[in-house]
Amino acid sequence: MSFKILKNNCCGLDVHKTWIFACIGITDPYNRTEYKQARFSSYTKGLQELCDWLAKYI
């Protein structure tokens, strides 16, 4: 599956009751996109880990 990149860096979240699945798309200056995926708990500790994980790619 693919989708059109509208922004160079973007994140999609799939939120469930007890977990959150995140996928980040990072596009370099040559229009090559790298995807990183991770799964986090939807509780406080997991949300902090998600926040820290996202901050690495800003």
Side-chain angles (χ1 to χ4, degrees):
M1 180 171 103
S2 65
F3 54 92
K4 184 177 179 181
I5 301 292
L6 300 176
K7 298 285 186 179
N8 285 344
N9 297 331
C10 59
C11 177
L13 299 175
D14 185 8
V15 180
H16 293 263
K17 186 175 181 178
T18 58
W19 59 271
I20 299 170
F21 182 78
C23 180
I24 295 177
I26 302 166
T27 305
D28 67 16
Y30 304 103
N31 288 325
R32 295 178 298 201
T33 303
E34 178 182 0
Y35 297 95
K36 299 188 181 293
Q37 301 175 12
R39 183 175 164 180
F40 302 91
S41 166
S42 62
Y43 297 102
T44 304
K45 182 181 178 200
L47 295 176
Q48 184 60 53
E49 291 170 352
L50 171 59
C51 183
D52 295 341
W53 184 75
L54 289 171
K56 289 191 309 188
Y57 300 104
I58 292 179

Coordinates of all heavy atoms in Angstrom, one line a residue:
M1 N 0.8 -1.2 0.0 CA 0.0 0.0 0.0 C 0.9 1.2 0.0 O 1.9 1.3 0.7 CB -0.9 0.0 1.2 CG -1.8 1.2 1.3 SD -3.0 1.0 2.6 CE -2.2 2.1 3.8
S2 N 0.5 2.2 -0.7 CA 1.3 3.5 -0.7 C 0.3 4.7 -0.7 O -0.9 4.5 -1.0 CB 2.2 3.6 -2.0 OG 1.4 3.6 -3.1
F3 N 0.8 5.8 -0.4 CA -0.1 7.0 -0.3 C 0.8 8.2 -0.8 O 2.0 8.1 -0.7 CB -0.7 7.2 1.0 CG 0.2 7.2 2.2 CD1 0.8 8.4 2.6 CD2 0.6 6.1 2.8 CE1 1.7 8.5 3.7 CE2 1.5 6.1 3.9 CZ 2.0 7.3 4.3
K4 N 0.1 9.2 -1.2 CA 0.8 10.4 -1.7 C 1.3 11.2 -0.5 O 0.5 11.5 0.4 CB -0.1 11.3 -2.5 CG 0.6 12.5 -3.1 CD -0.3 13.2 -4.0 CE 0.4 14.5 -4.6 NZ -0.5 15.2 -5.4
I5 N 2.6 11.6 -0.5 CA 3.1 12.4 0.6 C 2.8 13.9 0.4 O 3.2 14.4 -0.7 CB 4.7 12.2 0.7 CG1 5.0 10.7 1.0 CG2 5.3 13.1 1.8 CD1 4.6 10.2 2.3
L6 N 2.1 14.5 1.3 CA 1.8 15.9 1.1 C 2.8 16.8 1.9 O 3.0 17.9 1.6 CB 0.4 16.2 1.6 CG -0.7 15.4 0.8 CD1 -2.1 15.7 1.4 CD2 -0.7 15.8 -0.6
K7 N 3.4 16.2 3.0 CA 4.4 16.9 3.8 C 5.6 16.0 3.8 O 5.5 14.8 3.8 CB 3.9 17.1 5.2 CG 2.6 18.0 5.3 CD 3.1 19.4 5.1 CE 1.9 20.4 5.3 NZ 2.2 21.8 5.2
N8 N 6.8 16.6 4.0 CA 8.0 15.8 4.0 C 8.1 14.8 5.2 O 8.5 13.7 5.1 CB 9.2 16.7 4.0 CG 9.4 17.3 2.6 OD1 8.9 16.8 1.6 ND2 10.2 18.3 2.5
N9 N 7.6 15.3 6.3 CA 7.6 14.4 7.5 C 6.2 14.3 8.0 O 5.5 15.4 8.2 CB 8.5 14.9 8.6 CG 10.0 14.9 8.2 OD1 10.4 14.1 7.4 ND2 10.7 15.9 8.7
C10 N 5.7 13.1 8.2 CA 4.3 13.0 8.7 C 4.2 11.7 9.6 O 5.0 10.8 9.5 CB 3.3 12.9 7.5 SG 3.6 11.6 6.4
C11 N 3.1 11.7 10.3 CA 2.9 10.5 11.2 C 1.4 10.1 11.2 O 0.5 11.0 11.2 CB 3.3 10.9 12.6 SG 3.0 9.5 13.8
G12 N 1.2 8.8 11.1 CA -0.2 8.3 11.2 C -0.3 7.5 12.5 O 0.6 6.8 12.8
L13 N -1.5 7.6 13.2 CA -1.7 6.8 14.4 C -2.9 6.0 14.2 O -4.0 6.5 13.8 CB -1.9 7.8 15.6 CG -0.7 8.7 15.9 CD1 -1.1 9.7 17.0 CD2 0.5 7.9 16.3
D14 N -2.8 4.7 14.7 CA -3.9 3.8 14.7 C -4.2 3.6 16.2 O -3.4 2.9 16.9 CB -3.6 2.5 14.0 CG -4.8 1.6 13.9 OD1 -5.9 1.9 14.3 OD2 -4.5 0.4 13.5
V15 N -5.3 4.2 16.8 CA -5.5 4.2 18.2 C -6.5 3.2 18.6 O -7.6 3.2 18.0 CB -6.0 5.6 18.7 CG1 -6.2 5.7 20.2 CG2 -4.9 6.7 18.2
H16 N -6.2 2.3 19.5 CA -7.1 1.3 20.1 C -7.2 1.5 21.6 O -6.6 2.4 22.1 CB -6.5 -0.1 19.7 CG -6.5 -0.4 18.3 ND1 -7.5 -1.1 17.7 CD2 -5.7 0.0 17.3 CE1 -7.3 -1.1 16.4 NE2 -6.2 -0.5 16.1
K17 N -8.0 0.7 22.2 CA -8.2 0.8 23.6 C -7.0 0.7 24.5 O -6.8 1.5 25.4 CB -9.3 -0.2 24.1 CG -9.7 -0.1 25.5 CD -10.8 -1.1 25.8 CE -11.3 -0.9 27.2 NZ -12.4 -1.8 27.6
T18 N -6.1 -0.3 24.2 CA -5.0 -0.5 25.0 C -3.6 -0.3 24.3 O -2.6 -0.4 25.0 CB -5.0 -1.9 25.6 OG1 -5.0 -2.8 24.5 CG2 -6.2 -2.1 26.5
W19 N -3.6 0.1 23.1 CA -2.4 0.3 22.4 C -2.5 1.3 21.2 O -3.6 1.5 20.8 CB -1.7 -1.0 21.9 CG -2.5 -1.8 20.9 CD1 -3.4 -2.7 21.2 CD2 -2.5 -1.7 19.5 NE1 -4.0 -3.3 20.1 CE2 -3.5 -2.6 19.0 CE3 -1.9 -0.9 18.6 CZ2 -3.7 -2.8 17.7 CZ3 -2.1 -1.1 17.2 CH2 -3.0 -2.0 16.8
I20 N -1.4 1.9 20.8 CA -1.4 2.8 19.7 C -0.3 2.4 18.7 O 0.9 2.1 19.2 CB -1.1 4.3 20.2 CG1 -2.2 4.7 21.1 CG2 -0.9 5.2 19.0 CD1 -1.8 6.0 21.9
F21 N -0.6 2.2 17.5 CA 0.4 1.9 16.4 C 0.7 3.2 15.7 O -0.2 3.9 15.2 CB -0.2 0.8 15.5 CG 0.8 0.4 14.5 CD1 1.8 -0.5 14.8 CD2 0.7 0.8 13.2 CE1 2.7 -1.0 13.8 CE2 1.6 0.4 12.2 CZ 2.6 -0.5 12.5
A22 N 2.0 3.5 15.6 CA 2.4 4.7 14.9 C 3.3 4.4 13.7 O 4.1 3.5 13.8 CB 3.2 5.6 15.9
C23 N 3.2 5.2 12.7 CA 4.0 5.1 11.5 C 4.4 6.5 11.1 O 3.6 7.3 10.9 CB 3.3 4.4 10.3 SG 4.2 4.2 8.8
I24 N 5.7 6.7 10.9 CA 6.3 8.0 10.5 C 6.8 7.8 9.1 O 7.5 6.8 8.8 CB 7.4 8.4 11.5 CG1 6.8 8.7 12.8 CG2 8.1 9.6 10.9 CD1 7.9 9.1 13.8
G25 N 6.5 8.8 8.2 CA 7.1 8.9 6.9 C 8.1 10.0 6.9 O 7.6 11.2 7.1
I26 N 9.3 9.8 6.6 CA 10.3 10.9 6.5 C 10.9 10.9 5.1 O 11.5 9.9 4.6 CB 11.5 10.6 7.5 CG1 10.9 10.5 8.9 CG2 12.5 11.7 7.4 CD1 11.9 9.9 9.9
T27 N 10.7 12.0 4.4 CA 11.1 12.2 3.0 C 12.4 13.1 3.0 O 12.4 14.2 3.5 CB 10.0 12.8 2.2 OG1 8.8 12.0 2.3 CG2 10.4 12.9 0.7
D28 N 13.4 12.5 2.3 CA 14.7 13.3 2.2 C 14.6 14.3 1.0 O 13.6 14.3 0.3 CB 15.9 12.4 2.1 CG 15.9 11.5 0.9 OD1 15.2 11.8 -0.1 OD2 16.7 10.5 0.9
P29 N 15.6 15.1 0.8 CA 15.6 16.0 -0.3 C 15.6 15.4 -1.7 O 15.3 16.1 -2.7 CB 17.0 16.8 -0.1 CG 17.3 16.6 1.3 CD 16.8 15.3 1.7
Y30 N 15.8 14.1 -1.8 CA 15.8 13.4 -3.1 C 14.5 12.7 -3.3 O 14.3 11.8 -4.1 CB 16.9 12.4 -3.2 CG 18.3 13.1 -3.0 CD1 19.0 12.9 -1.8 CD2 18.9 13.8 -4.0 CE1 20.2 13.6 -1.6 CE2 20.1 14.5 -3.8 CZ 20.7 14.3 -2.6 OH 21.9 15.0 -2.4
N31 N 13.5 13.0 -2.5 CA 12.1 12.5 -2.5 C 12.1 11.0 -2.2 O 11.2 10.2 -2.7 CB 11.4 12.8 -3.9 CG 11.0 14.2 -4.0 OD1 10.7 14.8 -3.0 ND2 11.1 14.8 -5.1
R32 N 13.0 10.5 -1.4 CA 13.0 9.1 -1.0 C 12.4 9.1 0.4 O 12.8 9.9 1.3 CB 14.4 8.5 -0.9 CG 15.1 8.4 -2.3 CD 16.5 7.9 -2.1 NE 17.2 8.8 -1.3 CZ 18.5 8.9 -1.3 NH1 19.3 8.1 -2.1 NH2 19.2 9.8 -0.6
T33 N 11.4 8.3 0.6 CA 10.7 8.2 1.9 C 11.0 7.0 2.7 O 11.0 5.9 2.1 CB 9.2 8.3 1.7 OG1 8.9 9.5 0.9 CG2 8.4 8.3 3.0
E34 N 11.4 7.2 3.9 CA 11.7 6.1 4.8 C 10.6 6.0 5.9 O 10.1 7.0 6.4 CB 13.0 6.3 5.5 CG 13.4 5.2 6.5 CD 14.7 5.5 7.2 OE1 15.3 6.6 7.0 OE2 15.1 4.7 8.1
Y35 N 10.1 4.8 6.2 CA 9.0 4.6 7.1 C 9.5 3.9 8.4 O 10.3 3.0 8.3 CB 7.9 3.8 6.5 CG 7.2 4.5 5.3 CD1 7.6 4.2 4.0 CD2 6.3 5.4 5.5 CE1 7.1 4.8 2.9 CE2 5.7 6.1 4.4 CZ 6.1 5.8 3.2 OH 5.5 6.4 2.1
K36 N 9.1 4.4 9.5 CA 9.5 3.8 10.8 C 8.1 3.5 11.5 O 7.2 4.4 11.5 CB 10.3 4.8 11.6 CG 11.6 5.1 10.9 CD 12.6 5.9 11.8 CE 13.8 6.2 11.1 NZ 14.7 5.1 10.8
Q37 N 8.1 2.4 12.1 CA 6.8 1.9 12.8 C 7.1 1.5 14.2 O 8.2 1.0 14.5 CB 6.2 0.7 12.0 CG 5.9 1.1 10.6 CD 5.4 -0.2 9.9 OE1 5.1 -1.2 10.5 NE2 5.3 -0.1 8.6
A38 N 6.2 1.8 15.1 CA 6.3 1.3 16.5 C 4.9 1.2 17.1 O 4.0 1.8 16.6 CB 7.2 2.3 17.3
R39 N 4.9 0.4 18.2 CA 3.6 0.2 18.9 C 3.8 0.6 20.3 O 4.9 0.3 20.9 CB 3.2 -1.3 18.8 CG 1.9 -1.6 19.5 CD 1.6 -3.0 19.2 NE 0.6 -3.5 20.1 CZ 0.1 -4.7 20.1 NH1 0.5 -5.6 19.3 NH2 -0.9 -5.0 21.0
F40 N 2.9 1.3 20.9 CA 3.0 1.9 22.3 C 1.7 1.6 23.0 O 0.6 1.5 22.4 CB 3.2 3.4 22.2 CG 4.4 3.8 21.5 CD1 4.3 4.1 20.1 CD2 5.6 3.9 22.1 CE1 5.4 4.5 19.4 CE2 6.7 4.3 21.4 CZ 6.6 4.6 20.0
S41 N 1.8 1.5 24.3 CA 0.7 1.3 25.2 C -0.1 2.6 25.2 O 0.4 3.7 25.0 CB 1.1 1.0 26.6 OG 0.1 1.2 27.6
S42 N -1.4 2.5 25.4 CA -2.2 3.8 25.4 C -2.3 4.3 26.8 O -3.1 5.3 27.0 CB -3.6 3.5 24.8 OG -4.3 2.5 25.6
Y43 N -1.6 3.8 27.7 CA -1.6 4.3 29.1 C -0.5 5.3 29.3 O 0.3 5.5 28.3 CB -1.4 3.2 30.1 CG -2.6 2.2 30.0 CD1 -2.5 1.0 29.4 CD2 -3.8 2.6 30.6 CE1 -3.6 0.1 29.3 CE2 -4.9 1.7 30.5 CZ -4.8 0.5 29.8 OH -5.9 -0.3 29.7
T44 N -0.4 6.0 30.4 CA 0.5 7.1 30.6 C 1.9 6.9 30.2 O 2.5 7.6 29.4 CB 0.4 7.6 32.1 OG1 -0.9 7.9 32.4 CG2 1.3 8.8 32.3
K45 N 2.5 5.8 30.6 CA 3.9 5.5 30.3 C 4.1 5.3 28.8 O 5.0 5.8 28.2 CB 4.4 4.2 31.0 CG 5.8 3.9 30.8 CD 6.2 2.6 31.5 CE 7.7 2.3 31.1 NZ 8.1 0.9 31.4
G46 N 3.2 4.6 28.1 CA 3.3 4.4 26.7 C 3.1 5.7 25.9 O 3.8 5.9 24.9
L47 N 2.2 6.6 26.4 CA 2.0 7.9 25.7 C 3.3 8.7 25.8 O 3.7 9.4 24.9 CB 0.8 8.6 26.3 CG -0.5 8.0 26.1 CD1 -1.6 8.7 26.8 CD2 -0.8 7.8 24.6
Q48 N 4.0 8.7 27.0 CA 5.2 9.4 27.1 C 6.3 8.8 26.2 O 7.1 9.6 25.6 CB 5.7 9.3 28.6 CG 7.0 10.2 28.8 CD 6.8 11.6 28.5 OE1 5.9 12.3 29.0 NE2 7.7 12.2 27.7
E49 N 6.3 7.5 26.1 CA 7.3 6.8 25.1 C 7.0 7.3 23.7 O 7.9 7.5 22.9 CB 7.2 5.3 25.3 CG 7.8 4.8 26.6 CD 7.5 3.4 26.8 OE1 6.7 2.7 26.1 OE2 8.0 2.8 27.8
L50 N 5.7 7.3 23.3 CA 5.3 7.8 22.0 C 5.7 9.2 21.8 O 6.3 9.5 20.7 CB 3.8 7.7 21.8 CG 3.1 8.3 20.6 CD1 3.7 7.7 19.3 CD2 1.6 8.2 20.6
C51 N 5.5 10.1 22.7 CA 6.0 11.5 22.6 C 7.5 11.6 22.4 O 8.0 12.3 21.5 CB 5.6 12.2 23.9 SG 6.0 14.0 23.9
D52 N 8.2 10.8 23.2 CA 9.7 10.8 23.1 C 10.1 10.3 21.7 O 11.1 10.8 21.1 CB 10.3 10.0 24.2 CG 10.1 10.6 25.6 OD1 9.8 11.8 25.7 OD2 10.3 9.8 26.6
W53 N 9.5 9.2 21.2 CA 9.8 8.6 19.9 C 9.5 9.6 18.8 O 10.4 9.8 17.9 CB 8.9 7.4 19.8 CG 9.2 6.5 18.5 CD1 10.3 5.7 18.3 CD2 8.4 6.5 17.4 NE1 10.2 5.2 17.1 CE2 9.0 5.6 16.5 CE3 7.2 7.0 17.0 CZ2 8.5 5.3 15.2 CZ3 6.6 6.7 15.8 CH2 7.3 5.8 14.9
L54 N 8.4 10.3 18.9 CA 8.1 11.3 17.8 C 9.1 12.5 17.9 O 9.5 13.0 16.8 CB 6.6 11.8 18.0 CG 5.5 10.8 17.7 CD1 4.2 11.4 18.2 CD2 5.5 10.5 16.3
A55 N 9.5 12.9 19.1 CA 10.4 14.0 19.2 C 11.7 13.7 18.5 O 12.4 14.7 18.1 CB 10.6 14.4 20.7
K56 N 12.1 12.5 18.4 CA 13.4 12.1 17.8 C 13.4 12.5 16.3 O 14.4 12.7 15.7 CB 13.7 10.6 17.9 CG 14.1 10.2 19.3 CD 14.6 8.8 19.3 CE 13.7 7.8 18.7 NZ 14.1 6.4 18.9
Y57 N 12.2 12.6 15.7 CA 12.1 12.7 14.3 C 11.7 14.1 13.8 O 11.4 14.4 12.7 CB 11.2 11.7 13.7 CG 11.7 10.3 13.9 CD1 11.1 9.5 14.9 CD2 12.8 9.8 13.2 CE1 11.6 8.2 15.2 CE2 13.3 8.5 13.5 CZ 12.7 7.8 14.5 OH 13.2 6.5 14.7
I58 N 11.6 15.0 14.8 CA 11.2 16.4 14.4 C 12.4 17.2 13.8 O 13.5 17.0 14.2 CB 10.7 17.2 15.7 CG1 9.4 16.5 16.1 CG2 10.5 18.6 15.4 CD1 8.8 17.2 17.4

